[in-house]
Amino acid sequence: MSWTIISLADVQPQPWKNGGGTTRELLAWPSAALWQVRLSVAEVAADGPFSRFEGVRRAFAVLSGAGVRLVIDGQAHALTPASEPLAFDGAADTQCTLLGGVTQDFNLMVRAGVPALRRVRGRAQVGSAVLQAVYAASGPAAVHCGGKVLALPPHTLAWRLDGAALQVQADDALSMEVSL
């Protein structure tokens, strides 16, 4: 089980050009300049539009705060920390309205391949996709694979490329798979 571990606290927040929030990029694979998969945590402090990403599939989940209302190409979606992640086209016209103050949100963006982002509360199986990741949100998570257990503290991402089936156990985590 070969994992790369990244703590949110170890990543410097990058302010947005519009001043509405910050982003902490946890993973840009294979490189920051030529990413095919990008995982990040954003702090959204003000209402406003999402950046457009042509040719990108996005998945979005609220981690903390009251939540957001996203209007994606005219269709409204209310998301809270209890909601399942929402997948959408990164090129879509997307407007965000905060439902009650600052939120912390998780973003999975994929240029090539098929992304899957799921909320884990309890146990969940993760398939054998090429890239797999688990983000322990407000509490710890345990990743079971090949008779070994990887313990993740809160606000930590673990990712790998070797793609064997695994099981995640957590009160509050996100699991990701990307078939490239």
Side-chain angles (χ1 to χ4, degrees):
M1 192 162 52
S2 177
W3 292 92
T4 300
I5 312 294
I6 303 146
S7 171
L8 186 64
D10 293 338
V11 179
Q12 290 297 316
Q14 300 301 312
W16 297 349
K17 290 178 186 177
N18 69 8
T22 61
T23 296
R24 293 175 194 243
E25 186 175 85
L26 300 174
L27 171 64
W29 181 86
S31 70
L34 301 171
W35 63 266
Q36 295 298 308
V37 178
R38 183 174 183 254
L39 306 176
S40 63
V41 173
E43 185 170 288
V44 181
D47 299 346
F50 274 19
S51 297
R52 287 183 183 222
F53 291 93
E54 296 291 331
V56 170
R57 292 292 309 153
R58 279 182 95 147
F60 176 91
V62 175
L63 297 172
S64 66
V68 299
R69 181 176 182 262
L70 297 182
V71 179
I72 303 169
D73 284 340
Q75 186 173 10
H77 306 270
L79 299 166
T80 70
S83 301
E84 285 301 312
L86 177 67
F88 58 99
D89 184 346
D93 177 36
T94 304
Q95 299 292 319
C96 177
T97 303
L98 298 172
L99 297 179
V102 175
T103 63
Q104 188 179 63
D105 308 309
F106 194 92
N107 287 283
L108 163 61
M109 294 191 285
V110 177
R111 287 194 199 278
V114 179
L117 177 64
R118 292 181 204 84
R119 193 170 296 278
V120 177
R121 292 208 164 102
R123 286 185 179 261
Q125 293 293 126
V126 178
S128 55
V130 173
L131 188 145
Q132 299 170 314
V134 175
Y135 183 77
S138 63
V143 182
H144 303 264
C145 183
K148 297 179 182 178
V149 178
L150 173 66
L152 294 177
H155 313 291
T156 302
L157 175 77
W159 71 276
R160 70 184 191 161
L161 291 171
D162 45 9
L166 55 96
Q167 186 177 81
V168 178
Q169 182 175 358
D171 289 335
D172 185 21
L174 296 171
S175 71
M176 290 144 269
E177 300 175 64
V178 179
S179 299
L180 301 169

